[in-house]
Amino acid sequence: MHSGRILLAALAAGVLTLAGCGGDGGGDAAGSGPGGLTVPKIDKLAALGAGEGEVNVVSWAGYVEDGSTDKSVDWVTGFEKETGCQVNNKIAGTSDEMVALMKTGEYDVVSASGDASLRLIYGGDVAPVNTDLLSNYKDVFEGLKNKAWNSVDGVPYGAPHGRGANLLMYRTDTVTPAPTSWSAVFDPASPHKGKITAYDSPIYIADAALYLMKTKPELNIKNPYALDDTQFQAAVDLLKQQNELIGEYWSDYTKEVQAFKAGNSVLGTTWQVITNLTKADGAPVEAILPAEGATGWSDTWMVSAKAGHPNCAYLWMNHIISPTANAGVAEWFGEAPSNRLSCAETKDKNHCATFHAEDEAYFEQVWYWTTPLARCIDGRKDVTCKDYSAWTQAWTTIKG
């Protein structure tokens, strides 16, 4: 499992094409994106053929389960038997790692979050998706289709997987009273100094920006992914201050489970699946959506522009958004499913209520990962915002 750190040079190559862009441009044949930036013209698959025998997948942990983690958690084996497509899965720890892996051309399909999807689209690494070939696409929540992070000019670039929030996890035997705010991980006087953890990715700067948006109104932050120089500096300063409290940053989910089990970490950002696994291992932990809201993700299954196994890739995409498989992954990972019929298929009949699958008001508190651009995505025209390459450079200095 990689730590998610990759060479800045390789990363910059993937993101600098977006620098100085923003807003919606006009549409040419290939489609155009931020600031009129043209999307490479790549044809979508016209018709589904026979499976090629295997499919190479890049995914988040918990998205491609074949029973090896938990015998009762398996939506891969049946797919392999039914289609003849053997699933070869590579788990990535961060969106940066997913972009780097997809650029190799060795993988067919990826579960991309919003801070990776645009880089993949404009980099020419993924192809538009022919949703007519996905029989389950019609049942995907309309609120997840044709969004800024998974389409360009109304052309879909994938199948929505689900959505969820980045939560605050804590050990209930150590952290009392129970936290209700992100202030728990930013308070310089925290009694848990050295045992606080945070997600190891430049996109975590948005978590600090969200906290400042709610607690420092004078900064006038309207979107945690659209930060001008002053706003960005405030977020970076907060994270440099937080660095004194951090015991370790995590991007490998198994390491966060181990750290909370051992008590080396007692408080910090997490995903619901990590909380589930940590609890299953007997550690006393809980996770909450703090009062300020949270960052989060709406992931999209995207197919490589260079897919060696395109038919198996489409068969996989259709399978993972099918009611039963999508219910299984949503329940295991701890997120809202994308298929509205999945709510009737979950083992826990309250799952969709717990994860607010049909509650748009809840998701208004969640700021989905988005690629920061120099042209402010909050609509401001009079300033320049910090783009993802600036976020990447700042993250290096924050960690020292």
Side-chain angles (χ1 to χ4, degrees), residues 11 42 45 77 180 201 213 222 307 309:
L11 174 61
I42 297 164
L45 193 65
T77 307
T180 59
S201 167
M213 185 166 98
K222 299 286 189 252
H309 313 98

Side-chain angles (χ1 to χ4, degrees), residues 8 10 66 76 80 97 99 124 143 215 252 304-305:
L8 284 181
D66 61 3
V76 171
E80 291 177 332
E97 193 181 341
V99 172
T215 58
D252 179 340
S304 172

Side-chain angles (χ1 to χ4, degrees), residues 22 116 194 256 378-379 392:
E256 190 180 29
D378 61 2
T392 303

Side-chain angles (χ1 to χ4, degrees), residues 206-391:
D207 290 56
L210 175 63
Y211 179 66
L212 292 171
M213 185 166 98
K214 300 296 186 180
T215 58
K216 292 271 180 80
E218 64 273 19
L219 285 168
N220 212 23
I221 296 171
K222 299 286 189 252
N223 180 318
Y225 306 100
L227 305 175
D228 62 31
D229 288 352
T230 305
Q231 296 164 339
F232 187 73
Q233 195 56 52
V236 169
D237 289 345
L238 180 61
L239 290 168
K240 283 182 176 173
Q241 178 182 294
Q242 185 201 41
N243 179 258
E244 303 289 315
L245 307 172
I246 298 285
E248 58 185 288
Y249 293 93
W250 69 273
S251 62
D252 179 340
Y253 74 106
T254 61
K255 288 185 178 154
E256 190 180 29
V257 172
Q258 289 157 7
F260 270 84
K261 272 174 64 183
N264 296 331
S265 292
V266 301
L267 186 64
T269 183
T270 197
W271 303 327
Q272 187 68 47
V273 67
I274 296 173
T275 306
N276 297 351
L277 291 167
T278 310
K279 277 186 170 178
D281 279 352
V285 296
E286 289 294 341
I288 60 157
L289 179 77
E292 297 87 4
T295 59
W297 68 90
S298 174
D299 293 344
T300 305
W301 286 99
M302 308 181 99
V303 64
S304 172
K306 308 189 248 326
H309 313 98
N311 295 302
C312 278
Y314 266 76
L315 290 168
W316 171 258
M317 282 196 295
N318 195 48
H319 169 70
I320 199 64
I321 63 166
S322 66
T324 306
N326 197 241
V329 70
E331 203 157 14
W332 175 248
F333 192 86
E335 63 189 339
S338 65
N339 188 318
R340 58 189 173 81
L341 304 181
S342 295
C343 291
E345 303 287 332
T346 54
K347 289 175 190 163
D348 172 4
K349 292 307 164 195
N350 292 320
H351 179 84
C352 279
T354 302
F355 288 93
H356 309 273
E358 297 161 290
D359 182 357
E360 293 303 329
Y362 173 87
F363 281 107
E364 280 170 13
Q365 301 175 69
V366 176
W367 293 83
Y368 299 123
W369 282 345
T370 302
T371 306
L373 304 174
R375 176 87 171 269
C376 303
I377 57 175
D378 61 2
R380 285 180 291 168
K381 302 279 195 288
D382 55 340
V383 291
T384 302
C385 280
K386 294 293 193 181
D387 68 6
Y388 193 77
S389 59
W391 285 46

Side-chain angles (χ1 to χ4, degrees), residues 111-122:
S111 63
S113 292
D115 59 328
S117 53
L118 291 182
R119 287 188 269 163
L120 293 169
I121 291 170
Y122 293 112

Side-chain angles (χ1 to χ4, degrees), residues 64-77:
V64 184
E65 292 290 330
D66 61 3
S68 56
T69 306
D70 180 322
K71 284 189 180 66
S72 68
V73 180
D74 183 359
W75 48 87
V76 171
T77 307

Side-chain angles (χ1 to χ4, degrees), residues 71-111:
K71 284 189 180 66
S72 68
V73 180
D74 183 359
W75 48 87
V76 171
T77 307
F79 168 80
E80 291 177 332
K81 285 180 181 158
E82 191 182 311
T83 63
C85 300
Q86 178 72 33
V87 176
N88 308 311
N89 187 45
K90 168 78 173 168
I91 293 173
T94 67
S95 288
D96 291 349
E97 193 181 341
M98 286 190 179
V99 172
L101 288 168
M102 290 305 288
K103 283 191 176 300
T104 68
E106 293 169 22
Y107 298 91
D108 302 304
V109 66
V110 60
S111 63

